[in-house]
Amino acid sequence: MSYVAGNWSWRTPYILQVVPAAYMLVAIQFVPETPRWLMSKGREAEAMAFLVKYHGNGAKDDELEFKQDTWGQLFATKGNRHRIQIVLLIVIMQNLSGTAIAGGYYTTILNLVGITGASKLTGINAALTATVLICSIVGACIVNKVPRRKMLPGGPLFFSYQTECLSYSVRAKGMMIWGLANKTISIFNAYVNSIALANIGYKYYIVYCVFLFCQLVAMHFVLIAVLFDGDNTAQVPVTPYEQAMHHLEKEKPLE
């Protein structure tokens, strides 16, 4: 809003941000409490209903897993090692796909190609933000209808696919590895990108083009977690599970 004169140059962005903030204040009231909190308050029936609905596919007799594996077990089996490889692959491709440059240095990028002026830069930034919003909404709507490997290159599953890959017994430790890797690469983006752009300019984009190519190739070989352990896990009936997850809205509500 730098082209708007007076105090409205800073007031307008704040007013616009009130809308999503107000929505969140209302929507959060409808988010269910966690089973852990419900159990701590003596509301065991509600905690059980939550687990049945969100973890038991609507079946009260569905088996729930509570055991946590050790760090040694996390790398002991071929399936778990494959899961960790996928977690690291996703976090690397997520952070080294060019989004850090496009989001933090888009003004510098546009100046390098001759696009200047506050109005033009603001308009392009608004279009970029709107595109991301639309893609996010579309991704959320089709997440249960499109195969995972086809959605991964687009990014909608970058923050959720790893939790699907990691079984419950290793999920906490696997997500810790994801978090550490994410912050490590964020430090790289924060300190290296600006230096590289200042020294080699547009040639630095070639580095991210290579990462994008590797992402498209590597994602082709990503498999769903239930298939990681080879023949033993392949015996698990996957189709009924996927059908239950994709059609929960058609199931009858819990009594």
Side-chain angles (χ1 to χ4, degrees):
M1 300 299 294
S2 57
Y3 59 88
V4 178
N7 291 329
W8 283 105
S9 62
W10 63 267
R11 287 176 178 173
T12 303
Y14 277 93
I15 293 174
L16 293 175
Q17 293 179 66
V18 169
V19 177
Y23 169 78
M24 291 182 62
L25 287 175
V26 175
I28 195 66
Q29 307 304 319
F30 299 93
V31 175
E33 299 288 354
T34 64
R36 184 190 298 272
W37 185 85
L38 292 171
M39 289 293 291
S40 69
K41 301 299 180 181
R43 297 159 62 176
E44 291 85 357
E46 295 179 57
M48 183 62 184
F50 180 97
L51 292 172
V52 169
K53 181 177 181 180
Y54 293 101
H55 296 275
N57 303 323
K60 294 183 179 180
D61 58 347
D62 190 75
E63 183 178 354
L64 294 176
E65 184 180 7
F66 294 97
K67 181 182 177 182
Q68 291 290 314
D69 288 340
T70 63
W71 282 101
Q73 292 171 317
L74 181 62
F75 300 96
T77 66
K78 177 182 177 181
N80 283 346
R81 290 193 297 271
H82 193 176
R83 291 181 175 94
I84 296 302
Q85 291 171 8
I86 297 302
V87 168
L88 292 175
L89 170 65
I90 291 177
V91 71
I92 290 172
M93 294 306 175
Q94 171 191 353
N95 287 278
L96 296 178
S97 61
T99 56
I101 288 184
Y105 301 97
Y106 79 94
T107 301
T108 302
I109 294 173
L110 294 176
N111 288 336
L112 287 173
V113 296
I115 299 177
T116 58
S119 298
K120 291 182 179 180
L121 294 176
T122 303
I124 293 175
N125 185 41
L128 177 63
T129 303
T131 301
V132 172
L133 175 62
I134 293 172
C135 291
S136 299
I137 294 174
V138 172
C141 293
I142 65 175
V143 68
N144 286 334
K145 301 177 182 179
V146 179
R148 292 296 191 255
R149 278 186 290 180
K150 292 183 178 180
M151 290 193 67
L152 277 173
L157 299 177
F158 276 153
F159 293 95
S160 62
Y161 186 73
Q162 53 268 30
T163 61
E164 297 180 359
C165 292
L166 296 166
S167 58
Y168 180 83
S169 61
V170 298
R171 187 170 300 153
K173 295 179 177 62
M175 291 305 296
M176 179 184 294
I177 293 175
W178 176 88
L180 291 173
N182 183 53
K183 295 304 179 183
T184 300
I185 300 175
S186 296
I187 294 174
F188 170 87
N189 285 331
Y191 290 95
V192 174
N193 287 341
S194 58
I195 298 174
L197 285 172
N199 286 274
I200 62 176
Y202 73 91
K203 295 179 181 179
Y204 188 50
Y205 307 156
I206 299 175
V207 175
Y208 283 93
C209 289
V210 173
F211 277 114
L212 282 173
F213 175 77
C214 293
Q215 176 183 6
L216 294 175
V217 174
M219 289 303 176
H220 175 74
F221 299 99
V222 174
L223 298 176
I224 195 66
V226 76
L227 302 178
F228 286 173
D229 289 313
D231 294 337
N232 293 332
T233 308
Q235 298 174 4
V236 177
V238 181
T239 301
Y241 172 78
E242 291 182 338
Q243 290 177 346
M245 293 299 294
H246 294 174
H247 301 285
L248 280 176
E249 65 276 7
K250 297 182 181 180
E251 297 181 358
K252 295 181 180 180
L254 297 174
E255 297 181 357

